[in-house]
Amino acid sequence: MQINNKEYSEIVELRSVKSPKTRDFVLSFVIGGLICVVGELLLKIFERLNISPDIIAMLVPSTLIFISAVLTGLKLYEKIAKYAGAGTLVPITGFANAVVSPAIEFKNEGHVLGIGAKIFTIAGPVILFGTVSSVIYGIVYYIIKVGL
């Protein structure tokens, strides 16, 4: 049986599960906000421990990354992300999840060919884009501020 693109699109539309967009938006906002609240709580805890602001600036994201990696390893981050959507993907915790997930998935292939080769499968393009973008931004900024 041969079907054209329009017929195929109609079949896909009929069989696709409709996403409750309002609910998804609210959950994404709430869970993303809760991640930020956890970051603020960590900030306040570290301030009460009289840790210097420079160290706190490193401790808060590092702790969030660690928590995200542990939740990913326990397969809990995936369950949270199922309901929270972009609320878990946008913050730094989502980036940590993107790095840890392939490593866990390919760990049975060994440390070098599994974890080492696959750990940056998803995060690699993000790192590359961020690096290239920052270099371009730096060049443009230099040209504008300093001139040639």
Side-chain angles (χ1 to χ4, degrees):
M1 175 180 173
Q2 195 75 317
I3 62 173
N4 62 32
N5 287 340
K6 183 179 178 190
E7 292 171 333
Y8 179 76
S9 295
E10 290 171 0
I11 292 169
V12 169
E13 182 68 29
L14 286 172
R15 298 192 182 228
S16 295
V17 177
K18 305 296 182 234
S19 175
K21 290 182 179 29
T22 304
R23 180 185 149 273
D24 291 348
F25 173 78
V26 170
L27 279 174
S28 178
F29 181 79
V30 169
I31 300 299
L34 285 174
I35 291 170
C36 294
V37 167
V38 169
E40 283 295 316
L41 288 172
L42 289 170
L43 176 78
K44 297 302 179 190
I45 289 169
F46 294 142
E47 285 176 347
R48 284 191 171 239
L49 294 173
N50 293 320
I51 299 173
S52 76
D54 291 340
I55 302 297
I56 291 174
M58 292 182 285
L59 276 176
V60 172
S62 298
T63 306
L64 288 171
I65 289 168
F66 176 76
I67 292 168
S68 174
V70 169
L71 289 175
T72 300
L74 296 172
K75 300 193 186 299
L76 294 174
Y77 199 90
E78 181 181 319
K79 292 176 183 176
I80 296 167
K82 182 178 179 180
Y83 295 101
T88 58
L89 299 176
V90 175
I92 195 169
T93 54
F95 185 72
N97 174 263
V99 172
V100 173
S101 292
I104 291 171
E105 184 177 341
F106 293 100
K107 71 180 177 186
N108 60 346
E109 294 182 24
H111 292 299
V112 175
L113 296 176
I115 296 172
K118 301 292 184 179
I119 195 164
F120 292 113
T121 302
I122 295 172
V126 175
I127 294 169
L128 177 65
F129 177 76
T131 304
V132 170
S133 298
S134 63
V135 168
I136 293 170
Y137 176 80
I139 292 169
V140 170
Y141 181 79
Y142 179 81
I143 291 170
I144 291 171
K145 289 293 183 184
V146 178
L148 289 174

